[in-house]
Amino acid sequence: MNKYLIIISLLLSFSNAFAGVPDTFNERFNFIKKDGKLIEIRDRSMGFGFSIAPYIKYIKENLKTEQALMQSKSDYYGDLEELLNEDAFALDEKSNQNVKIVMDSLKALETLDVDGIFGNPKFRNFIKKFENKLKFELSKLNPSVLAHTQDTTFFYKRKVTYQVVTWGLGLAKKIFSSVPILNTASYVLVKVEKLIREKRLFHQNLLMHYMENHESELGLSKEDVDLAYSSIYESRIPWYAFWESTAAKENWKRYGINKFFTNVRLANSTLRAHRDRYTTRGKRMNFAFQAVKEGEDNVIINLFDRQSIFNSRPAIAFYIDNPKKMVRKRIIMQLAGLGISFLPIPNFIKNIGDKYIKSTYEKQKLTEGALYGYFEATSNFLRMDEVLMQYQNPFDINIRL
């Protein structure tokens, strides 16, 4: 009888360990263990299948939709300037210059022959070659692995996809004599490779929400969680930063957790430094996100990322009363990233403008994986979908499982 009571007790304790996390968490994440120790954390929604087609469809639709707006709305550029000039988005000394570059970049796309470029046989053949090359490199990896706790260089020695981009850019210059096709092809391949890499970062941030707020419910030891943090942060070491890779190896048990809490302390300092900007402060969702009221807007701010390279204020992550507002801003900035390549301005100005454009959304949308995790943990399905709309990664369509 005692034996059966022990078995039932163990089953109940195992069940209770996962009681506090939603079913989607258990369906998505898979903890691989050996001899009771965590080896890997895998994400079932990140499979091996890969095709560039979803991104081609996505960018074509956005380009054509924006061109239709330009042609149908007489006040299109006035509305655009008003959106970009909002204090929350472009409040800095170089605001006027930055807004002008973005607007000029959008204007450069107004007459772009979208169907002619994407339907060009040479363009389509080039994209297929790039896709095959990228598939080959990705086949060497397991894209579902978010953390490998026992291999201190697991991600560092697997940073190979940037080499495919270098190859692709060189090939594009040899193939295309038409500037619109060359620029568009170059933009697509750089963006595709980046979006593939970004999937892991978004999902890791989602996972870290649970590691921070539901550690006792995950069925992992504290040591397992600390090592998972180390692997996550090891995956973010640039391929050239061998010194940082060495530092991670030498302090593997504490490397990740030290990085995490250093960032949390910086986030807390950021909130204190900017507290006077907010009329009220609401709930702190997790390490990176805080609900506040800024002026008349109820928003969630991102304490890990700033508005832009020229604006040190915490980035607005979510407009609670108008979620589509951020989606609109990010579509504009992404298209401006293509349009700037067509502007007849010196390259050093283009580079500054391009850095500014990317700084308004690239890091921010990845940190928002933790915001998605918060909404998922609270079963707020509407907000989950709205965060995914902001994330805008057509390669991450299975995240909801």
Side-chain angles (χ1 to χ4, degrees), residues 118-134:
F118 287 91
N120 183 286
K122 285 187 177 181
F123 179 89
R124 295 170 69 175
N125 186 51
F126 168 77
I127 293 297
K128 191 64 181 175
K129 285 183 178 179
F130 175 69
E131 179 180 82
N132 290 337
K133 185 87 168 174
L134 194 55

Side-chain angles (χ1 to χ4, degrees), residues 95-261:
S95 153
N96 291 333
Q97 180 183 344
N98 295 327
V99 168
K100 185 179 186 306
I101 287 177
V102 173
M103 291 183 64
D104 288 346
S105 298
L106 268 292
K107 288 177 184 177
L109 299 175
E110 191 167 356
T111 58
L112 192 68
D113 183 4
V114 177
D115 289 327
I117 291 172
F118 287 91
N120 183 286
K122 285 187 177 181
F123 179 89
R124 295 170 69 175
N125 186 51
F126 168 77
I127 293 297
K128 191 64 181 175
K129 285 183 178 179
F130 175 69
E131 179 180 82
N132 290 337
K133 185 87 168 174
L134 194 55
K135 274 183 180 178
F136 175 74
E137 295 298 339
L138 290 172
S139 70
K140 302 174 184 178
L141 314 173
N142 184 346
S144 70
V145 177
L146 297 185
H148 194 299
T149 63
Q150 306 304 312
D151 187 342
T152 60
T153 58
F154 181 82
F155 292 104
Y156 183 71
K157 62 192 179 188
R158 286 168 170 78
K159 290 179 167 60
V160 295
T161 54
Y162 71 93
Q163 296 171 345
V164 184
V165 173
T166 303
W167 169 85
L169 291 172
L171 181 63
K173 289 177 182 177
K174 294 177 182 177
I175 293 176
F176 302 120
S177 56
S178 164
V179 171
I181 297 180
L182 172 61
N183 289 1
T184 305
S186 300
Y187 176 84
V188 167
L189 66 88
V190 170
K191 198 74 176 177
V192 163
E193 190 269 344
K194 184 180 284 289
L195 287 169
I196 294 298
R197 284 189 288 110
E198 287 177 349
K199 285 175 61 175
R200 185 178 69 229
L201 294 171
F202 185 90
H203 288 241
Q204 286 175 335
N205 287 327
L206 193 169
L207 174 63
M208 284 203 293
H209 168 81
Y210 286 99
M211 288 165 58
E212 180 195 29
N213 296 282
H214 302 274
E215 180 179 326
S216 62
E217 302 155 31
L218 302 182
L220 299 175
S221 68
K222 185 179 185 308
E223 181 183 1
D224 285 340
V225 173
D226 287 353
L227 292 177
Y229 275 116
S230 289
S231 186
I232 286 171
Y233 279 95
E234 186 269 329
S235 76
R236 301 176 185 194
I237 299 173
W239 64 269
Y240 54 82
F242 61 88
W243 59 89
E244 187 65 20
S245 180
T246 300
K249 283 189 285 186
E250 291 177 348
N251 188 29
W252 187 241
K253 288 186 177 181
R254 299 293 304 171
Y255 176 75
I257 202 69
N258 288 346
K259 286 275 187 183
F260 178 76
F261 281 111

Side-chain angles (χ1 to χ4, degrees), residues 30 38 79 89 110 204 285 296 305 308 315 324 334 376:
N30 184 20
L38 179 69
D79 289 347
F89 198 59
E110 191 167 356
Q204 286 175 335
M285 281 83 173
E296 297 299 315
D305 303 309
S308 74
K324 291 182 179 178
Q334 288 187 65
E376 179 181 74

